[in-house]
Amino acid sequence: MKKLVIAYSGGLDTSYCAVNLSKDYDVHAVSVNTGGFTSEEIKNIESNAYKMGVTTYKNIDAVATFYNKVVKYLIFGNVLKNATYPLSVSAERIIQAIEIIEYAKSIDAEYIAHGSTGAGNDQVRFDMIFQTLAPNIKIITPIRDQKLSRQEEIDYLKSEGIDMNWEKSKYSVNKGLWGTSVGGVETLKSEKPLPSEAYPSQLEKEGEEKVTLTFKNGEFVALNGQENKPEINIENLNEIASKYAIGRDIHVGDTIVGTKGRVGFEAAAALITVKAHHLLEKHTLTKWQLQHKEYLSSFYGMHLHEGQYLDPVMRDTEAFLQSSQKMVSGNVVVSLKPYHFTLDGIVSNHDLMSSAFSTYGEENKAWTADDAKGFIKIIGNQNKIYKQVNS
């Protein structure tokens, strides 16, 4: 039987694929941990995979890879799609697809399968990564190709003797290092919010708690003075902040296939980290660095969302973002409160507000009144010329 690798999550769609494809292929299941999995959950996924008839199961720990290849640059760029969403799921899918196809190549698989439907973004991300990195490996997508309904999948699995609880949860939750997506009946239309109970983290703490995020060259290197790897600091910050039910919102955006989509999310650590990092940049970068970073960061986030991660322009943009972080070092103090947070301020050796030149709105020490008048006269020249020529 020909060797096939399946991207296996343990849900209904990938379970159907595993059972169905095991009849004609030697199926090897693989899942990629980009954050959010407990060891117990991984064991359950493995156990279920073997029930579906796969030959082998492998879980790839890619949390550090996810941070170093993607999340780091999302922080450098302060990327929030439509000024709202930290690209929690779309960023994960890129790394998951890369890890899965590299695994398929390592075991000389001739085929690779995933459980995406034909209606969403993930089919594009997976297929584009797969066909770019391994054009000789054929992609198989039973759910998309057969246009299966959930009930048809359940009926098939029951007919194969696999009668598990496939009832769809009221809310679909996808946890990861960079946030948790939440989908439900309310997000299928435009008018209703998600109820509080739909979010995985509930309010456990009242009052106010201060945390200090330390950045070095743009990377989140310490939390409350405790140094650690950035991805661990993100996990620890999320553990603290989620108890305040921080980071809830609903993102509305354009899908790759041209439709509008609406999804709830909870991303306490991602939002706090991005906002804290951005505040530090406001103090340490020049006006023109900030301006050019803004549109390049938007470009980077959009192309990542659209599945264009492997295009060389993404490495070019990452090089710019990396270069911009040379002076982005210091501490940012954040106050956590129920359902929200505030940025208190920063301390940095590179703080441009600490310049001896002037104090904004108060005094200047580096120019005279006549200097200011001359500067204002010259900077206004073009407006005066335009007005005279066209009036």
Side-chain angles (χ1 to χ4, degrees):
M1 297 176 75
K2 293 181 178 179
K3 191 177 290 185
L4 176 146
V5 165
I6 182 171
Y8 185 75
S9 68
L12 175 60
D13 292 336
T14 56
S15 295
Y16 172 90
C17 293
V19 173
N20 183 260
L21 294 171
S22 292
K23 296 184 178 301
D24 299 308
Y25 300 92
D26 176 23
V27 176
H28 299 263
V30 59
S31 58
V32 181
N33 180 12
T34 47
F37 282 103
T38 65
S39 57
E40 189 61 35
E41 286 170 337
I42 292 171
K43 288 178 182 177
N44 287 337
I45 293 171
E46 180 176 16
S47 174
N48 287 337
Y50 285 115
K51 291 177 184 176
M52 304 304 149
V54 306
T55 303
T56 65
Y57 169 81
K58 182 177 179 64
N59 180 272
I60 299 172
D61 185 346
V63 177
T65 302
F66 180 38
Y67 169 78
N68 285 305
K69 288 191 174 181
V70 177
V71 172
K72 177 170 70 174
Y73 298 104
L74 295 178
I75 297 172
F76 289 173
N78 310 307
V79 176
L80 296 174
K81 193 168 189 294
N82 290 358
T84 304
Y85 180 50
L87 294 178
S88 306
V89 174
S90 46
E92 283 185 345
R93 293 294 185 259
I94 298 300
I95 295 303
Q96 290 167 349
I98 291 172
E99 292 290 336
I100 290 166
I101 196 64
E102 292 297 340
Y103 176 71
K105 288 160 64 176
S106 74
I107 65 170
D108 297 321
E110 298 175 69
Y111 299 87
I112 191 163
H114 61 84
S116 298
T117 70
N121 290 323
D122 286 345
Q123 59 174 332
V124 181
R125 296 174 185 133
F126 279 120
D127 281 15
M128 285 182 67
I129 296 289
F130 293 166
Q131 68 189 19
T132 301
L133 294 181
N136 295 325
I137 298 180
K138 185 177 179 182
I139 302 168
I140 298 177
T141 54
I143 309 301
R144 177 172 62 184
D145 295 343
Q146 299 174 36
K147 298 181 180 180
L148 296 168
S149 68
R150 285 185 61 85
Q151 192 56 53
E152 287 173 327
E153 293 175 51
I154 292 170
D155 291 344
Y156 174 81
L157 289 171
K158 286 182 177 178
S159 73
E160 294 293 323
I162 300 172
D163 190 6
M164 298 172 66
N165 181 17
W166 298 114
E167 291 304 313
K168 189 175 182 180
S169 300
K170 189 174 181 181
Y171 296 100
S172 60
V173 176
N174 183 89
K175 290 185 178 181
L177 175 70
W178 204 230
T180 299
S181 68
V182 184
V185 65
E186 294 88 355
T187 59
L188 298 177
K189 294 187 177 180
S190 306
E191 66 273 16
K192 293 182 180 179
L194 283 166
S196 178
E197 60 269 19
Y199 294 95
S201 297
Q202 297 296 305
L203 182 64
E204 297 179 32
K205 298 184 76 172
E206 298 285 351
E208 180 177 316
E209 179 178 352
K210 292 186 183 296
V211 293
T212 300
L213 283 67
T214 301
F215 293 90
K216 182 177 181 181
N217 303 129
E219 295 204 58
F220 182 11
V221 296
L223 176 62
N224 292 333
Q226 183 70 43
E227 293 185 7
N228 222 320
K229 293 179 180 178
E231 61 269 25
I232 295 175
N233 290 327
I234 292 167
E235 291 175 339
N236 291 341
L237 175 60
N238 200 68
E239 179 68 22
I240 296 169
S242 63
K243 290 181 170 57
Y244 290 91
I246 288 171
R248 299 175 173 186
D249 207 342
I250 290 182
H251 166 60
V252 180
D254 296 284
T255 66
I256 305 171
V257 295
T259 59
K260 291 286 185 182
R262 194 167 182 253
V263 65
F265 67 90
E266 175 187 288
L271 292 178
I272 293 169
T273 304
V274 163
K275 292 295 185 180
H277 175 266
H278 193 200
L279 177 62
L280 186 59
E281 282 195 330
K282 291 176 186 178
H283 283 264
T284 57
L285 298 187
T286 68
K287 171 169 61 176
W288 302 121
Q289 281 181 300
L290 289 167
Q291 183 188 42
H292 290 291
K293 274 191 79 265
E294 188 171 329
Y295 67 77
L296 281 171
S297 298
S298 176
F299 173 96
Y300 186 83
M302 175 59 78
H303 281 66
L304 184 73
H305 174 270
E306 300 287 303
Q308 298 288 347
Y309 177 78
L310 294 179
D311 192 288
V313 74
M314 297 294 276
R315 309 293 82 75
D316 300 335
T317 309
E318 288 166 357
F320 172 87
L321 293 174
Q322 182 84 57
S323 175
S324 73
Q325 300 301 295
K326 290 175 183 176
M327 302 302 172
V328 186
S329 298
N331 293 332
V332 184
V333 179
V334 182
S335 291
L336 308 179
K337 307 165 188 178
Y339 302 109
H340 73 292
F341 65 92
T342 55
L343 304 174
D344 295 349
I346 71 104
V347 177
S348 171
N349 292 332
H350 306 287
D351 185 0
L352 300 181
M353 277 194 72
S354 62
S355 162
F357 279 79
S358 68
T359 302
Y360 175 68
E362 296 289 336
E363 61 177 343
N364 68 76
K365 300 175 182 177
W367 58 84
T368 67
D370 287 339
D371 292 335
K373 291 174 186 177
F375 166 75
I376 295 165
K377 185 174 182 178
I378 292 171
I379 203 172
N381 266 343
Q382 191 163 76
N383 282 341
K384 287 185 289 184
I385 293 167
Y386 180 88
K387 189 72 173 176
Q388 288 173 3
V389 170
N390 293 294
S391 61

